[in-house]
Amino acid sequence: MTPLVYFVRHGQTDWNAALRFQGQRDVDVNETGRRQAHRNALRLAELLDDPHRFDFVASPLRRTRETMEILRAGIGLPRDGYRLEPRLVEVHFGDWQGRTVDEVETAFPGVAAEREADKWSFLPPGAGAESYDLLSARIEPWLSALERDTVCVTHGGVIRSIFVLTGTAGRAEAAAMDVPQDRILRWRDGRLDWL
């Protein structure tokens, strides 16, 4: 039987608001993101029958750590009582990190359209870049090893991969889906549901 998992995307950052590719750049949440995290904490407090029985794990980037600490404080737990999992960092956008779509098109003419043709398998240019395929391969061992009920704070690309890895969405659908920052995704009994 699979454990119960609540996935939360980090709160909004200024780069999210500007539609910049963040990837693995370490960007802080903004005030909107903090409000989103507080709302998610209130919802999580309603959902968790006993928060102490859950494992709490986050990507090591600042935006996910701050979101996790707001969540934990909001449900009455110490802010720092969680683990970091490096495999949960966002997909690496290579040379696109820090750029908007328009800036990418200026720097790499035609490449944005190439990505849209097969967003899941597309590999951006630059050292360390990943496709969503590679990201999924990175997080699959973590997901399949889960044994405890868990609260996980991570990124949009990781959540898209969770949909594919659980067989809940196809690659094209997952690549195009919106991943809200003000809702909680529950994985229970093989189903993913936005709450």
Side-chain angles (χ1 to χ4, degrees):
M1 182 172 169
T2 60
L4 168 63
V5 184
Y6 292 104
F7 293 99
V8 179
R9 184 179 177 194
H10 63 80
Q12 185 189 74
T13 70
D14 288 342
W15 281 21
N16 288 141
L19 303 177
R20 291 190 180 282
F21 290 98
Q22 283 182 128
Q24 294 181 11
R25 291 278 182 91
D26 216 358
V27 181
D28 293 311
V29 295
N30 60 23
E31 283 308 310
T32 297
R34 290 182 189 97
R35 285 193 300 274
Q36 291 168 333
H38 283 291
R39 282 194 304 274
N40 281 333
L42 293 174
R43 182 68 177 118
L44 205 53
E46 297 170 354
L47 294 166
L48 302 185
D49 55 346
D50 176 11
H52 297 283
R53 75 179 177 82
F54 282 78
D55 187 22
F56 287 79
V57 61
S59 155
L61 296 178
R62 287 194 314 260
R63 58 192 183 265
T64 45
R65 292 194 332 257
E66 183 173 0
T67 299
M68 175 64 89
E69 290 167 15
I70 292 169
L71 289 177
R72 286 182 58 83
I75 58 176
L77 295 175
R79 292 176 73 92
D80 62 352
Y82 64 97
R83 297 182 304 107
L84 298 177
E85 174 52 67
R87 291 174 290 185
L88 294 174
V89 296
E90 181 61 293
V91 64
H92 195 303
F93 285 111
D95 293 340
W96 291 15
Q97 294 187 151
R99 300 176 195 243
T100 65
V101 173
D102 290 342
E103 290 167 348
V104 165
E105 187 57 33
T106 299
F108 309 96
V111 175
E114 185 183 333
R115 177 178 185 251
E116 286 305 310
D118 184 7
K119 206 172 187 179
W120 198 262
S121 299
F122 179 79
L123 185 65
E130 295 175 295
S131 64
Y132 284 119
D133 264 334
L134 292 172
L135 170 64
S136 296
R138 169 164 42 92
I139 65 169
E140 192 279 329
W142 172 82
L143 185 67
S144 28
L146 282 178
E147 295 180 349
R148 284 184 64 191
D149 291 347
T150 301
V151 174
C152 173
V153 179
T154 189
H155 305 271
V158 172
I159 291 174
R160 287 181 182 93
S161 292
I162 297 295
F163 272 88
V164 171
L165 290 169
T166 59
T168 309
R171 293 173 177 197
E173 179 187 1
M177 75 173 41
D178 179 48
V179 179
Q181 293 168 300
D182 59 353
R183 293 178 71 189
I184 295 170
L185 180 66
R186 179 179 60 204
W187 185 33
R188 180 174 65 186
D189 300 328
R191 289 179 44 106
L192 286 171
D193 297 295
W194 286 109
L195 307 174

